[in-house]
Amino acid sequence: MKRYSFKYLFLFAQFFCIKFFTFAQTPILERSISLKVNNVSVSNVLDMIAKQGDFSFSYNSEIIEVNDRIDLTITNKPVREVLSRIFKGTLNYKARGQYLILQKNEQTEKAKTFVLTGYVLDDQSDKPLRKVTVYDRKSLSSSITNQYGFYRIKLYQNQLPIRLTISCPNYEQESILIKSSQNSYQDIRLQPIKRETHFNPPIEDNSIEKMDSYKNLKPKHEESSLILPVSPNAFPDITDESIFPTSPIFDSTLYESRWDMFKKRLGKVLVSRSQRINAQNIKDSLSRNYQFSVLPFLGTNRLLSGSIKNDYSINLLMGYAGGVRKLEVGGLINGIRNDVQGVQLAGLANIAGGTLSGLQSSSLLNIAGHNESGVQLSAGLNTVIKESSGWQIAPINFAHRVLKGGKQIGLINICDSTDTTPIGFLSFVGNGTGYKRLELAIDENETATFTFKTGVKKFYNILALHYNFLRPREIFGLGYGMGRAYELGRAWMFNTDLTANILVEYDDLSPNVAALWKFDMMFEKQIAQNVAITLGPSIKYLIINQYNSANWQAQPFNRIPAFEPLAATEKSSFWIGFQMGIRIRSR
């Protein structure tokens, strides 16, 4: 019997300790109080509140009419709300350890601002809502509710009357009108957004043929191997803190998932937490003619910058805004959450989270998060995450897809598919419209040539590696060129390739150097899904370096070609040869 008594005593003590610890961790002003008093003095009511909240009041009795009697009925309300109902906004409250200090709210006629406080609650459940934005469209003053749903916003008297907007995801946007400039307390209730639920009608046809047809249907997630699985935590809430807006639906491309990850990481580095939360909460489109900022969190757009479109934007170092309609100039980085319709000029980088329909120019990096129909100029990298119907000019250009009217001009061009012809040293296009060939061939000089071709059929780049291992003197060579492919039908293609090659021949003393120009006209016949054979004539012109050290001993590049050329001198040869090989093809 004693054993059971000790067991229950231990459980009771454990429950009491957990409850006490949890209560002690709650801030004084957020501790819940329940009262029902009738004609009780203020001093006695304060004693009741302090006893229930497990803290002590500290105040000057001269600022409070302690003998005034009040009627009050409160059920599970925070201390802050109880005091606001008693003193009607005439006092300020400050918590210091286990003491709550009550101070007179000194508001004079000279004061230009006043404070509105309160809680934001779910209208159906009375649950406090955290990370809700309360803001004024005119002055751009804003506040974000804390974990207990409490907000405190400073407003300007000369703006009266003021219409405050309250906004957060999954709730209807609300607004309240403030007419008085007195410090006051006001709770705000939000209605959850009602979402329609669609039900699929039951299958009326239960025939064997009908049921078999449903069995043969493939699940949607098998349509593309690139679609990422959706986890229960895949849908972001207001804690998803990105500089720009993130869709909860996963895209089927790896680039966009990496772009979303890049935005989140960049946002956490450059943009304040309050700006990121406000940008996700606010549904309205705010606008200003101009803005000036030193850093993303220090500017005239204040903490609402991620939701504001500006005609003109000047950023001393770095800036962050919802959109640009005409011009943005930045010393280092310009960051736009949504669309750019004008000109972005930056010392290092321009970033547009949405669509670019203007000009981006920087010395390092330009990014358009969605589509681009303007011009990107950069000394480093241009990137369009989705579709580009404009021009990209930089050493490196990347776009998910280049539409008709778009153009990539750069040292290296990369895209998944293109409706136009990229121009550059190397262009890599995906299997959609890309052309890729990996070839091993041999020619009339018994030289093995390993070739890689990349680009599109109308224009591709060629990288070549030559080696002649049957000659007494070994010959190595490197080449670069360009070509075009023509569809002939029935698994036949025809190529015209022009390449410039540097050949190096090793003799007993020092290497001999020559330049070989080749124009190949090759027929390609597909023999398997990704394999083809090639054969065709080749026009070649060899120019021998006149300063070769072997000139006085033996003729450099002797017996190239292996037969009598059409024209030859001591320094050059011109002939028609052939080439045949095998190719691995992309499509």
Side-chain angles (χ1 to χ4, degrees), residues 302-414:
R302 306 180 74 174
L303 296 179
L304 303 184
S305 54
S307 303
I308 299 176
K309 292 183 179 179
N310 299 113
D311 289 337
Y312 301 95
S313 179
I314 307 298
N315 304 308
L316 186 62
L317 295 177
M318 294 181 288
Y320 171 53
V324 169
R325 288 190 286 252
K326 294 182 180 179
L327 172 66
E328 182 173 45
V329 179
L332 295 178
I333 298 175
N334 293 323
I336 296 299
R337 180 172 174 257
N338 294 316
D339 302 334
V340 174
Q341 298 173 329
V343 178
Q344 271 190 316
L345 304 174
L348 290 181
N350 292 309
I351 303 173
T355 298
L356 169 67
S357 56
L359 168 68
Q360 281 185 326
S361 178
S362 74
S363 61
L364 183 62
L365 174 66
N366 292 316
I367 298 178
H370 287 188
N371 304 324
E372 181 257 337
S373 59
V375 178
Q376 288 183 318
L377 297 174
S378 171
L381 170 66
N382 290 324
T383 299
V384 177
I385 304 301
K386 289 189 177 180
E387 297 177 343
S388 172
S389 57
W391 285 55
Q392 291 183 304
I393 303 174
I396 302 176
N397 297 308
F398 170 83
H400 178 62
R401 183 183 178 188
V402 180
L403 303 177
K404 187 175 181 180
K407 183 68 70 175
Q408 288 184 318
I409 301 175
L411 187 66
I412 298 176
N413 301 310
I414 304 171

